[in-house]
Amino acid sequence: MQAQYFKLTKQVHQSISIRKDTRTAFYDHWHYHSELELVYIIQGEGTRFIGDDISRFGSGDLVLLGVGLPHVWKSDDSYFDHNSRKKVSAIVLHFGQDFLGPDLWELPEMAPIKKLLELSPRGISYHLPEGHPVKRKLRKMIDQQPFDRLTHLLTMLHKLAQVENHTILSGIPFADHYQKHHSKRIDKIYDYILTNFEKEIKLEELALLANMTPASLCRFFRQKTRKSVSEFINEVRVGFACKLLIEGNLSISEICFRCGYNNLSYFNRQFKKIIGLTPGNYQKKKSLFEEEKQA
């Protein structure tokens, strides 16, 4: 899952591209590109990594990613079981920031969209019902002619700019910071941690991987990512713990060890530090929320 710059293949005579992506699981490369991306998860669940944000995703999620913002969606382990019949599906829309020309956003009527595009490098998650006009338009755009897609995209961006129920995902300077300080060493470290977080990860292992001393690695990692190695490892582990708590098949102590921790008290402290709740309270709150949805 090394971070790569992806040069997206443009469709002939079209300034935007859209596709419906259906497969067994989501797990591409940690990557970024020079186009904006709007992702609508129709079916599937797992963990998404967007800039420095690590959180759960599920069916119905809608996320706008700005230019240069590194990201990847990873389906839950059950999707990778060779006996699994599960499928994932998403609509993915790509468009250039100036797909209608560089001066259009300076028009007073375009002020809301201009502000939206300025926020997009941090990533924006929208909390919208399935019948929302934006989701309906995305589904329709799959089969539309190029000109109709163009007009629909402009209307859709205007509607998104007015949505108040959204969450800014990544730290303010992450996309710009990442591109300026991008390093293959960081890619290797990210990849190793995301692959091996369920077991003990020693600083010496990461330092050897990066061909650095442990002390140098710690300074280097903080300079590049604005957080310590241990902070990143804990965020990944706690993100996975949230998934296990939601599923409710394991006890909290079992989840603690499943996520790579060997001390329950330390796990509880890190979970509360990152999520703001203890694992037990998080599980109760999620259960109450699910009951309210079904009521």
Side-chain angles (χ1 to χ4, degrees), residues 38-222:
L38 186 62
V39 181
Y40 171 27
I41 304 294
I42 297 173
Q43 181 181 357
E45 56 186 14
T47 303
R48 67 187 182 209
F49 303 82
I50 298 176
D52 57 9
D53 176 75
I54 302 168
S55 54
R56 295 286 299 163
F57 73 84
S59 301
D61 280 12
L62 182 70
V63 177
L64 177 65
L65 307 172
V67 172
L69 179 60
H71 57 278
V72 68
W73 271 253
K74 181 182 180 182
S75 297
D76 286 337
D77 292 345
S78 58
Y79 287 85
F80 296 94
D81 190 319
H82 68 278
N83 293 320
S84 174
R85 294 185 178 180
K86 290 184 175 182
K87 295 286 185 181
V88 297
S89 182
I91 294 176
V92 184
L93 171 68
H94 292 111
F95 59 97
Q97 185 148 332
D98 296 327
F99 71 99
L100 287 174
D103 300 324
L104 182 71
W105 310 126
E106 301 306 318
L107 296 174
E109 294 85 354
M110 298 297 173
I113 298 179
K114 181 182 179 182
K115 184 177 180 181
L116 174 72
L117 297 180
E118 289 172 348
L119 282 175
S120 67
R122 296 176 61 187
I124 309 172
S125 176
Y126 295 94
H127 316 293
L128 305 176
E130 282 309 293
H132 193 276
V134 170
K135 292 184 174 180
R136 292 204 307 267
K137 284 184 179 296
L138 272 171
R139 289 181 181 270
K140 288 181 180 179
M141 285 176 71
I142 294 289
D143 300 315
Q144 284 180 328
Q145 295 299 312
F147 181 80
D148 293 326
R149 285 179 176 174
L150 203 64
T151 57
H152 264 65
L153 176 56
L154 190 61
T155 302
M156 193 163 54
L157 291 176
H158 188 260
K159 289 186 178 298
L160 284 177
Q162 300 174 61
V163 173
E164 295 182 358
N165 193 10
H166 66 265
T167 302
I168 303 298
L169 298 176
S170 187
I172 295 174
F174 192 91
D176 183 56
H177 180 93
Y178 186 87
Q179 291 178 75
K180 286 181 179 177
H181 302 282
H182 175 246
S183 165
K184 289 184 177 180
R185 283 176 172 172
I186 289 295
D187 293 340
K188 287 182 179 180
I189 296 167
Y190 266 53
D191 186 40
Y192 187 85
I193 291 172
L194 294 174
T195 304
N196 297 283
F197 68 87
E198 295 175 69
K199 62 183 183 182
E200 182 182 6
I201 297 177
K202 295 181 179 180
L203 187 60
E204 290 76 13
E205 295 173 355
L206 297 176
L208 183 63
L209 189 69
N211 196 26
M212 304 173 77
T213 66
S216 297
L217 172 62
C218 290
R219 290 193 297 270
F220 174 76
F221 193 88
R222 183 175 288 280

